[in-house]
Amino acid sequence: MLLINCPYCGTRPELEFAYGGQAHVARPPDPALLEAQPWADFLYMRDNVRGVHAERWRHTHGCGRFFNALRDTTSDRFIATYRSGDAAPQAPADDTKVAP
Amino acid sequence: MQRFSALSLLGHALTGHRGWRPQWRRASPKASYDAVIIGGGGHGLGTAFYLASEHRLDKIAVLEKGWIGGGNTGRNTTIIRSNYLFDESAALYDHSLKLWEHLSQVLNYNVMLSQRGVMMLAHTVHDVQVIKRHVHANRANGVDNEWLSPEQAQQFCPPLNIADIRYPVLGAALQRRGGTARHDAVAWGYARAADALGVDIIENCEVTSIQRNAQGAVEAIQTTRGVIRTPRIGVAAAGNTSVIMKMAGVRLPLESYPLQALVSEPVKPVFPCVVMSNTMHAYISQSDKGELVIGAGTDAYTSYTQRGGLHISAHALEAVCELFPIFRRLRMLRNWGGIVDLTPDRSPIIARTPVPGLYVNCGWGTGGFKATPGSAHVFAWTIARDEPHPINAPFTIERFRDGHLIDEAAAAAVAH
């Protein structure tokens, strides 16, 4: 089980959290003006990164707040967690390597 | 190819089984091919086999970064069924089931298909309504499925505990044509048959980039074993599809999650069928070796690690112990994870892509094994003719733009 560092509450077991998918996917300001493809891109297309992934988590059974995390999807190791609205921290160079 | 028959087995038995040769060549990559399949699992090897046998393509290669059948083909719970709700899915999965029924003969390789019946349990009023809807929809589509009372379900599967549990069994749907097959044999059978038709199966060959020409069409693949030129690429890379497709500049509506399974120590035959419980989150069958094969759910987060959290497996085991009290003292032998690529509507994509010459077969999520022959068959058609087979025509990438989703909540027996 993963240990996740909630930026508001501290480190807690994975069971307290809900996964929220890729982070920094901005909702288009006026969906009614969009063509079908950009709307589908917003709804369905994801980077599905093999390597360092910026993603949302929610501390469902804690403070209830959303936050963001950088996690390496080839090892499941968390590199950083940060509050919603903050820019993603720079991942250290040795964490950006993709496992063979 | 050495053909298998009762006579050849007898002959080899008399000579101490010293005369068997490798079932396929250890091929090295050539400079160019008419078509290259990326991914040496059941879907990819099957595609190569149908390209060679039905579409008469000459020079075909299958590239596999590890060993064939070492990905999800070797990591699933070997369940076969076709009781899907929507017309599009029923047509695709039943096409596959019909191919399964003759696959051992077609490949001259025993895939050990056992149509022992797949039973899906209903534990709540909602389950009963949903499952009955499936039964009616399946029968209207010519797919066998029948409703069983709790007592009939227990009669069909005697170890089943129907009453003394938190979620009593209120009934079940039974697809008698469903069952299991030997997963490795599917990869090996397709590999052997494809190799006999001249297909090069190239293992330990990882794709590192895809080159496109001035018109945007694919022209070559860079691999860890050199450059391969080809005008046609079929991608059947399961959990790693997003990574491969990014090399050609194509983005797909996919997310890769770990899906876990486990097997028990082997015991004598006690379990006659496949049982799936959506509500209690487990599915179980017994292999011919005697191990109970148990499937768990997906982990909560995307990952490429081929392992998952132990609490996910433990959850499935709790459900199994509740449904089948006779297994409570059984020990587990191994557990593992595979990386499954999920689409938003839980239906696969088998289609052309915006890049000329590039085709993709992905998004099988938690239920790709059962579809192996059908998927490979229609994917080969799509690659050979540059147009979809009528069966996979609805399974496009564009359906997410156009709103024609095939929303199969029942894509696996586990809730997503």
Side-chain angles (χ1 to χ4, degrees):
Chain A
M1 188 177 301
L2 305 178
L3 290 176
I4 302 175
N5 182 23
C6 169
Y8 303 98
C9 308
T11 302
R12 303 291 167 82
E14 178 193 337
L15 285 183
E16 293 188 13
F17 296 85
Y19 181 67
Q22 186 179 335
H24 310 295
V25 180
R27 183 184 170 87
D30 199 344
L33 298 178
L34 283 185
E35 297 289 325
Q37 189 61 55
W39 182 239
D41 290 348
F42 165 70
L43 287 179
Y44 301 123
M45 297 292 177
R46 296 295 178 262
D47 290 342
N48 200 20
V49 177
R50 187 168 75 184
V52 178
H53 186 225
E55 59 196 20
R56 300 202 306 162
W57 287 84
R58 180 168 179 248
H59 195 185
T60 321
H61 303 292
C63 62
R65 283 196 264 194
F66 276 98
F67 60 92
N68 294 327
L70 288 185
R71 183 176 54 91
D72 186 341
T73 61
T74 63
S75 67
D76 290 341
R77 198 163 71 80
F78 280 87
I79 295 154
T81 55
Y82 53 101
R83 298 182 181 207
S84 300
D86 292 356
Q90 201 66 40
D94 61 339
D95 277 315
T96 57
K97 272 188 298 199
V98 172
Chain B
M1 183 172 83
Q2 282 181 305
R3 283 190 69 79
F4 295 125
S5 65
L7 206 60
S8 78
L9 281 178
L10 186 66
H12 282 286
L14 293 174
T15 54
H17 289 295
R18 283 186 294 272
W20 295 110
R21 294 195 302 274
Q23 297 293 314
W24 56 89
R25 293 168 295 130
R26 192 170 290 271
S28 292
K30 296 192 183 85
S32 73
Y33 289 96
D34 293 339
V36 172
I37 307 299
I38 300 175
H43 290 245
L45 292 164
T47 303
F49 168 72
Y50 293 115
L51 276 174
S53 65
E54 296 203 351
H55 304 284
R56 305 288 169 196
L57 253 65
D58 264 345
K59 293 171 68 187
I60 306 167
V62 178
L63 308 184
E64 166 55 48
K65 73 171 174 176
W67 62 93
I68 61 166
N72 292 350
T73 299
R75 293 166 186 269
N76 62 82
T77 50
T78 77
I79 297 167
I80 293 166
R81 61 187 177 91
S82 63
N83 51 355
Y84 281 69
L85 181 63
F86 291 108
D87 297 350
E88 297 88 343
S89 318
L92 176 60
Y93 289 97
D94 212 51
H95 178 56
S96 192
L97 184 45
K98 285 172 185 155
L99 291 173
W100 273 116
E101 286 170 337
H102 303 285
L103 195 58
S104 294
Q105 289 75 24
V106 169
L107 299 180
N108 180 237
Y109 201 93
N110 188 2
V111 299
M112 296 168 73
L113 176 71
S114 164
Q115 293 179 291
R116 58 184 71 177
V118 171
M119 195 161 74
M120 300 174 99
L121 302 179
H123 300 278
T124 64
V125 172
H126 177 71
D127 279 357
V128 171
Q129 290 166 345
V130 167
I131 288 180
K132 281 189 173 171
R133 183 180 174 213
H134 273 73
V135 169
H136 296 314
N138 290 158
R139 293 168 75 119
N141 271 322
V143 176
D144 75 304
N145 204 353
E146 60 195 273
W147 174 256
L148 302 184
S149 69
E151 293 72 27
Q152 288 171 319
Q154 194 178 41
Q155 209 169 17
F156 191 72
C157 183
L160 180 64
N161 177 14
I162 56 173
D164 181 25
I165 47 176
R166 168 68 181 83
Y167 294 104
V169 175
L170 302 183
L174 173 63
Q175 186 180 24
R176 291 183 192 272
R177 285 162 67 227
T180 61
R182 169 104 167 91
H183 50 354
D184 292 329
V186 179
W188 298 337
Y190 271 127
R192 172 174 171 270
D195 176 88
L197 295 169
V199 173
D200 280 355
I201 295 160
I202 304 161
E203 295 177 298
N204 298 310
C205 180
E206 183 169 0
V207 174
T208 53
S209 73
I210 293 173
Q211 289 171 11
R212 296 165 61 183
N213 63 19
Q215 287 74 47
V218 297
E219 60 173 11
I221 302 173
Q222 297 267 8
T223 76
T224 50
R225 297 182 65 180
V227 179
I228 299 168
R229 301 188 67 80
T230 180
R232 272 177 285 212
I233 300 173
V235 177
N240 282 295
T241 304
S242 296
V243 178
I244 299 283
M245 296 302 281
K246 196 178 171 192
M247 296 173 188
V250 177
R251 218 166 167 234
L252 289 172
L254 292 177
E255 289 192 291
S256 297
Y257 287 85
L259 178 69
Q260 296 181 72
L262 48 168
V263 291
S264 73
E265 57 188 334
V267 290
K268 289 194 174 178
V270 286
F271 203 78
C273 59
V274 180
V275 174
M276 319 178 99
S277 168
N278 198 340
T279 299
M280 292 181 63
H281 235 192
Y283 40 107
I284 179 169
S285 63
Q286 188 173 21
S287 74
D288 291 343
K289 280 193 290 184
E291 303 155 329
L292 294 178
V293 183
I294 296 166
T298 52
D299 275 81
Y301 46 84
T302 61
S303 179
Y304 287 84
T305 56
Q306 295 189 317
R307 59 175 183 259
L310 198 57
H311 60 287
I312 303 285
S313 295
H315 185 59
L317 289 179
E318 285 163 9
V320 166
C321 291
E322 179 104 332
L323 283 170
F324 307 101
I326 63 164
F327 296 144
R328 280 182 185 169
R329 293 176 63 193
L330 213 55
R331 285 167 297 189
M332 291 298 125
L333 204 60
R334 302 188 296 281
N335 75 325
W336 64 88
I339 300 304
V340 300
D341 46 327
L342 293 172
T343 57
D345 64 358
R346 303 297 183 249
S347 288
I349 296 167
I350 316 166
R352 300 193 300 177
T353 70
V355 175
L358 183 66
Y359 307 85
V360 69
N361 182 354
C362 66
W364 290 98
T366 58
F369 177 73
K370 67 175 82 68
T372 304
S375 146
H377 185 253
V378 298
F379 191 41
W381 174 297
T382 306
I383 295 171
R385 305 189 181 208
D386 194 34
E387 64 178 22
H389 187 281
I391 288 177
N392 69 311
F395 295 88
T396 60
I397 305 172
E398 291 76 24
R399 74 177 188 265
F400 296 95
R401 179 195 66 202
D402 301 337
H404 296 291
L405 302 186
I406 305 160
D407 198 359
E408 279 290 349
V414 293
H416 294 289

